[in-house]
Amino acid sequence: MAVYSMTGYASAQQGGAWGAAAQETKASAAARLGLEIRSVNSRFLDLTFRLSEELRQHEPALREMIGAQLKRGKVEVRAGVESPVGEALREPPARTLQRLGAMQDAVRSWLPDARALSVADIIRLGTTEDRTEVDWGAALTDLMGETLKALMAAREREGARLATMLLGHLKQLRALAVQARPLVPKLVEQQRARFLERWKEAMALADGATLPEAAQDRALTEATAFAIRIDVAEELTRLESHLDEIERLVKKGGEVGKRLDFLIQELHREANTMGSKSAALELTRISVDMKVLIEQMREQVQNIE
């Protein structure tokens, strides 16, 4: 199953006749129906519709179609009917002009301050009466199906790019974990040798002198305590476990965004703990590099459905 991004865009247009009902008038046959869908990331499915007046009644059907395909994302749907220029400029019949004039006189007799009708008002009101109501339901449903298919393809392409990026970052994190593992024993041994040197200096012993057994025991105790403080083996084990689970989810695909987001938080927690336990610049560098990669992953995971 593919990984889907919540980011995508698709649009489609259809023109011409829309069946028997639409063929009743030349205007409806020449009209063009347009639809576009934009989606970005969101915790839940958030739908916004911007439909022209003649299409608003079909919003519930469109909402149901989108809900069956998308589970998360902020989705904006725009749809409208574009009428031919000739229809918009059609001259109103004389009978209609007479009715508009009479209605205007009646209104202004009661409301003398009412604004007079403009030419644009007369054209708009005069041509509305002659329009035949067209049921755009079937055409709009077909166009939504086509646009949704294109949107899902766009989200799948973006999801594939995100999956490739995540797998690449996982590989880099594993390499950093491999670099970190042998550092702790080296640091412990360095700390033990440093303590012994300081003990020699304190007792003013020569370089070739043998240290008392108590000094060596004390050095071992100090090194052990130091090893406990800087031991990041558990953090590395948990980090590698999270990396394995993230890789499994990415390859599995489907609705994995929320689980990936949780695992990214856990990765960041382990990297932070490693940094706080760091007793060497090299281990600090590894922790910082890990956190940079994890932050990049977090930003991209938030776009996955």
Side-chain angles (χ1 to χ4, degrees):
M1 189 179 297
V3 172
Y4 288 93
S5 169
M6 285 186 281
T7 302
Y9 172 82
S11 64
Q13 285 188 342
Q14 287 184 346
W18 305 105
Q23 293 177 10
E24 293 178 2
T25 64
K26 292 182 180 179
S28 63
R32 293 181 64 84
L33 179 64
L35 188 148
E36 66 176 21
I37 307 178
R38 304 172 185 269
S39 68
V40 295
N41 61 310
S42 177
R43 292 183 62 189
F44 308 101
L45 182 60
D46 181 8
L47 301 180
T48 302
F49 289 86
R50 303 186 185 279
L51 308 178
S52 58
E53 188 65 33
E54 57 267 68
L55 302 178
R56 288 180 183 173
Q57 60 180 317
H58 304 295
E59 179 179 327
L62 300 182
R63 187 179 293 272
E64 184 177 353
M65 291 181 67
I66 294 175
Q69 290 286 331
L70 308 180
K71 303 306 178 184
R72 294 177 64 199
K74 183 176 177 60
V75 182
E76 180 180 337
V77 180
R78 293 178 179 268
V81 178
E82 181 183 353
S83 301
V85 176
E87 180 190 0
L89 300 178
R90 191 170 66 242
E91 182 179 352
R95 177 177 56 84
T96 301
L97 293 175
Q98 291 175 353
R99 289 183 58 190
L100 291 174
M103 292 172 63
Q104 176 178 253
D105 293 341
V107 170
R108 300 190 73 179
S109 66
W110 288 92
L111 302 171
D113 295 333
R115 181 178 62 85
L117 290 172
S118 66
V119 174
D121 294 334
I122 294 172
I123 292 176
R124 177 173 54 82
L125 296 172
T127 56
T128 300
E129 291 187 354
D130 293 340
R131 291 179 184 173
T132 302
E133 290 295 330
V134 178
D135 183 7
W136 297 97
L140 186 59
T141 300
D142 291 344
L143 193 60
M144 174 57 79
E146 177 185 341
T147 311
L148 267 178
K149 185 177 180 180
L151 178 68
M152 294 300 293
R155 288 168 60 129
E156 183 177 357
R157 289 193 299 271
E158 178 66 13
R161 187 187 69 81
L162 293 178
T164 301
M165 185 277 296
L166 288 175
L167 292 175
H169 280 29
L170 292 177
K171 185 176 180 181
Q172 295 180 59
L173 286 170
R174 292 185 194 279
L176 290 172
V178 170
Q179 295 176 28
R181 277 200 178 277
L183 290 179
V184 174
K186 291 181 180 179
L187 291 173
V188 173
E189 182 58 33
Q190 290 174 6
Q191 180 69 8
R192 178 176 176 275
R194 188 180 301 116
F195 182 84
L196 291 175
E197 287 297 325
R198 290 178 180 176
W199 188 275
K200 279 185 178 182
E201 294 173 2
M203 297 186 66
L205 296 175
D207 291 340
T210 303
L211 286 174
E213 184 176 350
Q216 298 192 28
D217 290 342
R218 178 67 184 276
L220 181 59
T221 301
E222 291 291 334
T224 301
F226 178 75
I228 293 174
R229 290 198 304 272
I230 69 168
D231 186 16
V232 294
E234 291 186 9
E235 286 75 12
L236 288 173
T237 299
R238 287 194 294 266
L239 186 141
E240 290 171 351
S241 176
H242 296 329
L243 294 179
D244 291 340
E245 180 64 10
I246 291 173
E247 183 174 358
R248 185 188 71 82
L249 289 173
V250 171
K251 291 182 177 179
K252 172 188 174 185
E255 300 170 25
V256 297
K258 289 184 178 180
R259 185 164 180 80
L260 287 175
D261 190 39
F262 170 76
L263 289 170
I264 293 298
Q265 294 179 35
E266 294 302 305
L267 282 181
H268 200 274
R269 190 194 314 276
E270 304 303 337
N272 264 336
T273 304
M274 285 180 55
S276 65
K277 287 186 174 183
S278 175
L281 289 177
E282 183 64 15
L283 196 57
T284 300
R285 181 195 64 79
I286 290 175
S287 174
V288 171
D289 290 346
M290 282 184 171
K291 287 191 282 189
V292 170
L293 290 170
I294 292 168
E295 181 62 23
Q296 292 173 356
M297 293 172 67
R298 185 188 65 80
E299 293 176 358
Q300 299 305 323
V301 161
Q302 290 181 350
N303 290 320
I304 295 179
E305 187 175 51

